[in-house]
Amino acid sequence: QVQLVESGGGLVQPGGSLRLSCAASGFTLDDYAIAWFRQAPGKEREGVSCISSSDGSTYYSDSVKGRFTISRDNAKNTVYLQMNSLKPEDTAAYYCAADPDPIQAMCVMFPDITFDSWGQGTQVTVSS
C-alpha cells in the first residue's frame, strides 16, 4: 500500500534553512503528484507546494514562493522540500501527500483538490 514518511524537521533560527524529505513506498513515484501541506496550531491546513507526475511541473503558495523548492528523486523514491530564508510564520507541522496523476492535473488544481495518501508529518519550528 501507499506509504509516505516525512523527515528533516526541527528547530531553526529565522533566516535559516531546512530540507524536508518524503520517502515514498508502495507505488511508482513518477505516476503520482506529491504535495506538501502545513498546519500550525489553531490555523487551517495550508497547501505549500506540489510537483506533478512525469513532467515534474511545480507549484508554490504565494507565502513560500521564492524561498521553498520542491524536487523529486525517482531513483530514491523521495520528494524533497528545500526551505530557505525561514520565518517564524513557517512554524508548523509539515505533511506530504500523494495521489495518482495520470494527466498532470493534480497540481494545476492544487491546493483545492483532495490527496488520498498522507504521511504522519514532521514538525518545523522557526524561532530564535
Side-chain angles (χ1 to χ4, degrees):
Q1 71 276 20
V2 173
Q3 287 192 325
L4 302 167
V5 179
E6 302 94 334
S7 62
L11 174 64
V12 63
Q13 291 186 341
S17 298
L18 281 175
R19 189 178 77 161
L20 305 184
S21 299
C22 174
S25 61
F27 64 98
T28 302
L29 190 63
D30 202 32
D31 293 338
Y32 278 59
I34 307 294
W36 286 95
F37 292 81
R38 67 186 181 186
Q39 189 164 20
K43 294 189 177 181
E44 291 188 355
R45 187 174 65 195
E46 176 190 9
V48 173
S49 184
C50 187
I51 186 164
S52 292
S53 66
S54 301
D55 67 358
S57 299
T58 57
Y59 301 85
Y60 300 93
S61 67
D62 288 342
S63 61
V64 307
K65 198 172 294 182
R67 301 188 296 122
F68 290 12
T69 303
I70 191 171
S71 63
R72 65 197 301 155
D73 186 333
N74 290 337
K76 294 184 178 180
N77 267 11
T78 301
V79 172
Y80 303 99
L81 186 69
Q82 178 67 44
M83 305 187 297
N84 298 329
S85 302
L86 283 161
K87 305 174 182 180
E89 51 264 43
D90 294 317
T91 295
Y94 283 71
Y95 302 88
C96 65
D99 211 80
D101 192 25
I103 60 172
Q104 291 86 52
M106 291 293 291
C107 294
V108 175
M109 295 178 281
F110 176 83
D112 299 321
I113 190 166
T114 299
F115 283 76
D116 284 343
S117 300
W118 292 79
Q120 83 290 348
T122 186
Q123 179 67 34
V124 172
T125 302
V126 184
S127 175
S128 55

